[in-house]
């Protein structure tokens, strides 16, 4: 069974540029999560989807971050414009309902 | 929200030694997971253990939900066990938002 797929794995952009990350969850998992991991810390939730609906986005900085999960499968997380402080690893995870979460390999973003 | 504390923050072992990692959480949980983050950053699922005891090879875990702690045991450690071990928990009232601890950095020397 394929795991959570994320792309790109690495991204380097200049500040003020836009960037997008893509996630394909494990087949059959209806719940999808985006987490942010800063260096030396544990991941923190940005947004959680149950099917197509964003049910927990209280930690998402909505002035510059946006996300979508069309058709309840793949998801895209966007930052526009990026700031230096956005440099981090962006992790996608999925689960069946509220059960065990499985994480993708992450996208390492560097903003210069 | 829930608070998750892990100890020790750093641990250095010789190959073959045993170790115990601890995770304390501040409230009743409906989900508790242990992860190993390898040097490439991948979070690998070790245990899904909101309560009880589980074993998988050289690893085992115990969660005592009533006392709000979980333990991860590593026996006969190997150099490939090196990395960061995270405990993460979620509350029934917070949906399935996982709150992670700060992690334990484990180094196993040959």
């Amino acid at each position: 069974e394929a795991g959570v797929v994320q792309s790109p794995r690495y991204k380097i952009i200049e500040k003020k540029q836009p960037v997008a990350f893509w996630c394909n969850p494990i087949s059959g998992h209806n719940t999808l999560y985006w987490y942010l991991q800063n260096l030396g810390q544990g991941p923190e939730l940005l947004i959680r989807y149950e099917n197509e609906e964003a049910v927990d986005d209280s930690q998402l900085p909505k002035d510059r971050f946006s996300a979508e999960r069309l058709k309840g499968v793949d998801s895209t997380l966007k930052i526009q414009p990026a700031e230096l402080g956005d440099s981090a690893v962006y992790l996608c995870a999925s689960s069946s309902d509220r059960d065990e979460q499985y994480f993708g390999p992450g996208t390492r973003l560097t903003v210069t | 929200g829930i608070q998750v504390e892990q100890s020790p923050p750093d641990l250095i072992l010789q190959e073959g030694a045993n170790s115990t990692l601890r995770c304390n959480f501040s409230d009743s949980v409906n989900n508790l997971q242990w992860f190993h983050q390898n040097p490439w950053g991948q979070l690998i699922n070790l245990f899904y253990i909101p309560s009880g005891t589980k074993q998988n090879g050289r690893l085992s875990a115990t969660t005592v939900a009533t006392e709000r702690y979980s333990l991860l045991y590593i026996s006969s450690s190997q150099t490939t066990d090196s990395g960061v071990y995270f405990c993460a928990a979620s509350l029934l009232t917070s949906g399935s938002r996982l709150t992670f601890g700060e992690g334990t950095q484990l180094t196993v020397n040959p």
Side-chain angles (χ1 to χ4, degrees), chain B residues 13 16-20 55-60 72-78 81:
Chain B
L13 302 173
N18 303 328
S19 62
T20 301
Q55 180 156 6
N56 185 1
R58 296 181 295 104
L59 302 182
S60 63
L72 177 69
Y73 305 96
I74 305 175
S75 64
S76 303
S77 59
Q78 301 176 358
D81 294 333

Side-chain angles (χ1 to χ4, degrees), chain B residues 26-47:
Chain B
S26 60
D27 210 330
S28 299
V29 300
N30 68 328
N31 179 1
L32 189 132
Q33 293 186 235
W34 283 97
F35 298 91
H36 175 211
Q37 190 161 44
N38 65 22
W40 297 270
Q42 175 74 55
L43 280 167
I44 299 167
N45 288 42
L46 297 178
F47 294 102

Side-chain angles (χ1 to χ4, degrees), chain B residues 6-25:
Chain B
Q6 292 186 243
S7 61
D10 298 279
L11 185 59
I12 300 175
L13 302 173
Q14 286 299 120
E15 201 167 23
N18 303 328
S19 62
T20 301
L21 282 58
R22 187 177 179 100
C23 172
N24 293 331
F25 42 92

Side-chain angles (χ1 to χ4, degrees), chain B residues 77-97:
Chain B
S77 59
Q78 301 176 358
T79 56
T80 52
D81 294 333
S82 296
V84 182
Y85 288 80
F86 285 106
C87 166
S90 68
L91 299 173
L92 184 61
T93 54
S94 68
S96 49
R97 166 199 296 260

Side-chain angles (χ1 to χ4, degrees), chain A residues 5-85:
Chain A
V5 179
Q6 291 188 245
S7 68
R9 291 294 313 279
Y10 304 91
K11 189 74 176 179
I12 300 174
I13 61 171
E14 294 183 347
K15 61 182 181 182
K16 301 185 181 179
Q17 294 301 306
V19 63
F21 314 124
W22 176 81
C23 173
N24 180 250
I26 292 173
S27 177
H29 281 189
N30 63 321
T31 306
L32 183 146
Y33 314 76
W34 284 102
Y35 287 84
L36 166 69
Q37 186 175 21
N38 287 306
L39 188 64
Q41 299 180 18
E44 298 178 345
L45 183 73
L46 289 173
I47 188 168
R48 172 170 65 96
Y49 283 93
E50 289 187 2
N51 301 305
E52 300 89 356
E53 184 181 2
V55 296
D56 184 352
D57 63 356
S58 58
Q59 303 301 310
L60 188 72
K62 299 182 183 64
D63 57 336
R64 297 185 300 107
F65 286 64
S66 65
E68 60 182 11
R69 191 184 184 197
L70 300 176
K71 300 181 182 179
V73 181
D74 296 1
S75 178
T76 302
L77 178 68
K78 298 179 181 177
I79 308 175
Q80 182 170 7
E83 297 179 352
L84 294 176

